[in-house]
């Protein structure tokens, strides 16, 4: 068996693609070696191409016309008396290459009547290509060979189909009886006597069954593939095969098999494909159940957060594994406006569920239309929960708000409002992907309570005058100067240092600002108004 390792994968410039779906091209047939074992060919002799005895024969054809190449098909056993080539024996060596190029299984020929012998070049070419050349006995008719070999092929195909259908029925019964991936992999492992595993779309092993040593090897292969998803094991050894699980047009993982005792046959792969179809049914069923449960959880939590939870809220929450009777914090992750909502919502919910499980197994998580809400115990670090969830969604497409600690169920609606406000204000202050705590909003918390944004904008225009807009390119620079002056309590030397200005340049700018805004260096009330106006501008329109 060819060793399978990560190094081997990395060194293979063009690894073979994993079978993408049932294609109907599984090779039902018999090998050339098996054809030579039928009774009518007992006296036949292999004269070249021994390396090709495992080629598959699916059909037979008889060559009695010179232009046979236009009529041959892959996986054919071609029979001939040599009649079409009796006048051109020199073309026989080229014939082998042409037949091999077209995917034929073998050439069987009778000598004596039209050809006395085969050219040495033809035999050498067949050996070089691994293309079997078979010398037929003269006393056997082509009809007897056709009858017996085709009967064997049909019997083999019928047996394979029966085996596959039996496996399919068994797997469907497992699903109908409520079984899942664990039962599906166990059934296939028992049928094939190999290790079988099911992975999710990320390559994580969901279930595995079979002999422990083979399962361990399958886990090793899966771990390498999970780190290098584009790679697959070398196809030459035939000990590993994987079939994708596709449902609803989405790739959900794969069913993989590993055999330490022999190569996986096309029949085995056919059963893996049936297993992948059944696994898709399992996933579809699980997704439907999960969707219903998720909606029920979300509806219940929404009622709790809006004060409509009714009686026995804590008791009903326990049915979901949630503990809402202790001091808790509410976290709201809201999708940023420029994100693609549906896929981001799914990734957000999965990331938050994983993070809450890690930090507080008794915490609550539910997805709403534009947001995910989590409730975690006061002992957990809500900022760490939020950062872990954010890190799991690589494109950072949601902003998160954290509430104060709520003492019980009755305080949850207020905490939810705090978290939602923190998420929205945090995004406007710091941009997409912000994590903000309600207590850290300071004056922005008060400004966010003003619902009339037109009034806020009017206040900004009245206070900042021409500096409220960006009609003049210098306005933004002057606002930065004003902001620094207010932050340093009019400390000219410190402001000059922060802005990297010369002292005299800053004195000139202060004079210009006072001509535009009034004598703010002497008027504390004006400084307060200017500070608030700059805060409103920074909040980007709230």
């Amino acid at each position: 068996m060819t060793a399978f390792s990560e190094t081997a994968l990395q060194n293979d410039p063009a690894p073979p693609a994993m079978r993408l779906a049932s294609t109907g091209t599984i090779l039902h047939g018999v090998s050339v070696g098996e054809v030579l074992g039928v009774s009518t060919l007992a006296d036949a002799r292999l004269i070249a191409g021994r390396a090709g005895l495992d080629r598959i024969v699916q059909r037979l054809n008889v060559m009695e016309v010179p232009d046979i190449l236009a009529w041959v098909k892959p996986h054919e056993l071609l029979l001939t008396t040599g009649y079409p080539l009796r006048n051109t024996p020199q073309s026989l060596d080229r014939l082998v290459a042409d037949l091999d190029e077209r995917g034929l299984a073998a050439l069987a020929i009778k000598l004596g009547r039209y050809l006395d012998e085969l050219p040495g070049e033809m035999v050498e070419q067949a050996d070089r290509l691994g293309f079997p050349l078979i010398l037929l006995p003269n006393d056997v008719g082509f009809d007897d060979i056709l009858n017996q070999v085709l009967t064997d092929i049909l019997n083999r195909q019928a047996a394979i189909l029966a085996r596959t259908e039996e496996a399919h029925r068994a797997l469907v019964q497992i699903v109908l009886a409520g079984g899942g991936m664990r039962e599906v992999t166990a059934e296939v492992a028992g049928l094939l006597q190999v290790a079988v595993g099911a992975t999710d779309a990320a390559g994580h092993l969901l279930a595995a069954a079979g002999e422990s040593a083979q399962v361990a090897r399958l886990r090793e292969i899966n771990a390498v593939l999970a780190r290098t998803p584009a790679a697959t094991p070398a196809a030459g050894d035939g000990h590993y095969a994987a079939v994708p699980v596709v449902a609803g047009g989405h790739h959900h993982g794969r069913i993989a098999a590993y055999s330490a005792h022999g190569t996986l046959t096309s029949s085995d792969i056919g059963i893996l494909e049936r297993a992948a179809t059944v696994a898709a049914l399992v996933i579809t069923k699980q997704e439907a159940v999960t969707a219903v449960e998720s909606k029920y959880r979300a509806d219940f939590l929404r009622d709790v957060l809006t004060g409509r939870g009714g009686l026995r809220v804590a008791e009903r929450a326990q049915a979901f594994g949630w503990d809402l009777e202790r001091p808790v914090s509410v976290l709201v992750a809201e999708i940023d406006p420029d994100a693609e909502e549906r896929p981001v919502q799914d990734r957000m919910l999965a990331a938050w569920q994983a993070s809450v499980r890690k930090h507080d197994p008794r915490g609550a998580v539910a997805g709403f239309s534009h947001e995910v809400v989590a409730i975690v115990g006061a002992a957990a670090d809500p900022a760490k929960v939020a950062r872990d969830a954010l890190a799991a969604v690589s494109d950072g497409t949601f902003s998160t708000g954290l509430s104060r600690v709520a003492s019980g169920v009755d305080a949850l609606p207020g905490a939810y409002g705090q978290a939602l406000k923190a998420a929205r204000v945090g995004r406007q202050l710091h941009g997409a992907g912000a994590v903000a705590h309600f207590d850290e909003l300071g004056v922005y918390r008060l400004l966010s309570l003003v619902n009339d944004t037109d009034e806020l904008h009017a206040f900004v225009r009245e206070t900042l005058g021409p500096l409220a807009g960006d009609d003049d390119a210098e306005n933004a620079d002057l606002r930065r100067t004003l902001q620094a002056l207010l932050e340093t309590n009019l400390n000219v030397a410190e402001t000059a240092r922060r802005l990297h200005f010369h002292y005299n340049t800053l004195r000139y700018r202060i004079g210009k600002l006072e001509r535009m805004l009034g004598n703010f260096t002497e008027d504390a009330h004006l400084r307060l108004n200017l500070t608030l106006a700059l805060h409103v501008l920074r909040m980007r329109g709230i």
Side-chain angles (χ1 to χ4, degrees):
M1 181 183 70
T2 302
F4 172 68
S5 67
E6 185 172 3
T7 302
L9 288 177
Q10 293 170 343
N11 292 336
D12 187 355
M18 182 172 65
R19 185 187 293 272
L20 294 181
S22 181
T23 60
T25 59
I26 296 175
L27 301 183
H28 301 307
V30 295
S31 69
V32 174
E34 290 171 317
V35 168
L36 289 173
V38 303
S39 59
T40 55
L41 295 178
D43 295 327
R45 184 162 57 91
L46 181 72
I47 58 177
R50 181 170 297 278
L53 287 178
D54 59 348
R55 292 188 181 212
I56 298 296
V57 177
Q58 290 184 295
R59 55 181 69 86
L60 286 85
N61 198 354
V62 177
M63 176 186 180
E64 294 300 344
V65 292
D67 59 344
I68 188 63
L69 291 177
W71 307 102
V72 296
K73 297 177 181 178
H75 307 293
E76 276 187 347
L77 170 60
L78 187 60
L79 309 175
T80 184
T81 60
Y83 176 78
L85 302 168
R86 64 192 187 282
N87 297 322
T88 57
Q90 66 276 9
S91 64
L92 285 173
D93 57 333
R94 180 60 202 165
L95 176 64
V96 168
D98 290 337
L99 295 178
D100 178 70
E101 184 178 336
R102 285 162 174 77
L104 265 72
L107 174 66
I109 189 168
K110 284 187 178 183
L111 294 178
R113 188 170 182 182
Y114 300 108
L115 288 175
D116 293 328
E117 62 180 4
L118 298 178
E121 294 86 350
M122 180 182 186
V123 175
E124 292 174 5
Q125 178 87 308
D127 272 329
R128 186 162 54 251
L129 296 173
F131 182 83
L133 283 181
I134 301 168
L135 185 61
L136 296 173
N138 288 321
D139 58 345
V140 177
F142 283 177
D143 58 339
D144 293 329
I145 299 173
L146 291 168
N147 252 344
Q148 194 165 17
V149 176
L150 285 175
T151 298
D152 280 1
I153 290 173
L154 291 175
N155 288 341
R156 177 70 59 85
Q157 183 168 350
I160 289 173
L161 291 175
R163 180 185 184 223
T164 305
E165 287 301 318
E166 180 183 352
H168 184 71
R169 282 194 298 271
L171 292 169
V172 169
Q173 285 301 317
I174 286 174
V175 177
L176 294 177
M181 287 296 194
R182 189 181 303 277
E183 290 76 17
V184 169
T185 54
E187 180 69 19
V188 178
L191 286 171
L192 302 184
Q193 295 299 300
V194 298
V196 177
T199 71
D200 61 16
H204 302 126
L205 200 61
L206 303 175
E211 180 186 304
S212 58
Q214 293 193 88
V215 170
R217 182 62 173 151
L218 181 63
R219 288 181 184 276
E220 178 186 341
I221 294 174
N222 182 71
V224 173
L225 293 178
R227 293 194 297 272
T228 53
T232 56
D237 58 27
H239 291 264
Y240 174 88
V243 179
V245 177
V246 179
H250 299 290
H251 178 81
H252 293 277
R254 63 177 181 267
I255 297 287
Y258 172 77
S259 171
H261 308 302
T263 58
L264 293 164
T265 66
S266 59
S267 172
D268 296 335
I269 294 174
I271 290 177
L272 284 181
E273 290 179 337
R274 296 300 181 94
T277 301
V278 172
L281 293 177
V282 172
I283 289 171
T284 302
K285 181 184 72 172
Q286 289 174 342
E287 286 184 341
V289 172
T290 300
V292 171
E293 291 178 347
S294 180
K295 185 179 185 306
Y296 185 64
R297 283 195 299 268
D299 289 345
F300 171 67
L301 191 58
R302 184 183 288 108
D303 287 342
V304 171
L305 295 175
T306 54
R308 301 193 304 268
L311 301 175
R312 303 200 311 273
V313 169
E315 180 181 335
R316 291 165 61 192
Q318 287 178 356
F320 296 119
W322 301 344
D323 183 0
L324 303 183
E325 294 185 291
R326 54 188 174 147
V328 294
S329 295
V330 177
L331 300 85
V332 173
E334 193 175 47
I335 296 177
D336 291 323
D338 58 347
E340 296 180 17
E341 263 183 37
R342 187 68 261 163
V344 170
Q345 175 76 4
D346 294 340
R347 293 198 303 273
M348 271 176 59
L349 182 57
W352 277 94
Q353 287 171 335
S355 183
V356 171
R357 275 197 306 269
K358 174 183 175 182
H359 293 279
D360 182 12
R362 295 184 299 161
V365 185
F368 298 163
S369 58
H370 301 283
E371 64 195 31
V372 172
V373 178
I375 301 176
V376 297
D381 181 351
K384 185 69 167 66
V385 175
R387 285 194 296 270
D388 285 356
L390 182 62
V393 181
S394 58
D395 45 5
T397 50
F398 59 90
S399 298
T400 308
L402 317 177
S403 77
R404 294 169 174 166
V405 173
S407 57
V409 172
D410 293 340
L412 288 177
Y416 171 65
Q418 294 171 4
L420 190 59
K421 184 67 69 176
R424 293 175 179 175
V425 174
R427 178 193 296 117
Q428 293 186 324
L429 291 177
H430 308 296
V435 177
H437 195 288
F438 185 72
D439 281 341
E440 296 172 353
L441 299 180
V443 70
Y444 297 106
R445 187 172 78 235
L446 298 177
L447 291 174
S448 68
L449 297 176
V450 179
N451 294 323
D452 189 346
T453 55
D454 289 339
E455 187 63 34
L456 284 175
H457 291 156
F459 172 74
V460 170
R461 288 193 299 270
E462 292 167 4
T463 306
L464 294 179
L467 288 185
D470 288 323
D471 299 335
D472 190 330
E474 189 183 15
N475 284 353
D477 196 28
L478 287 172
R479 286 199 301 269
R480 282 193 295 271
T481 302
L482 177 62
Q483 181 77 45
L485 281 166
L486 295 172
E487 288 177 353
T488 61
N489 198 24
L490 302 182
N491 186 323
V492 178
E494 175 61 19
T495 302
R497 187 189 66 80
R498 285 191 185 186
L499 299 178
H500 307 289
F501 286 165
H502 189 275
Y503 183 85
N504 291 336
T505 300
L506 183 56
R507 295 301 305 178
Y508 167 78
R509 286 195 170 214
I510 292 173
K512 185 171 183 177
L513 285 168
E514 288 199 315
R515 287 192 296 273
M516 297 173 70
L517 305 173
N519 188 17
F520 64 87
T521 58
E522 301 293 336
D523 188 340
H525 292 292
L526 178 56
R527 289 199 299 274
L528 175 60
N529 288 342
L530 291 171
T531 301
L532 290 174
L534 290 172
H535 284 328
V536 173
L537 273 183
R538 189 180 176 199
M539 289 176 65
R540 301 177 185 177
I542 279 193

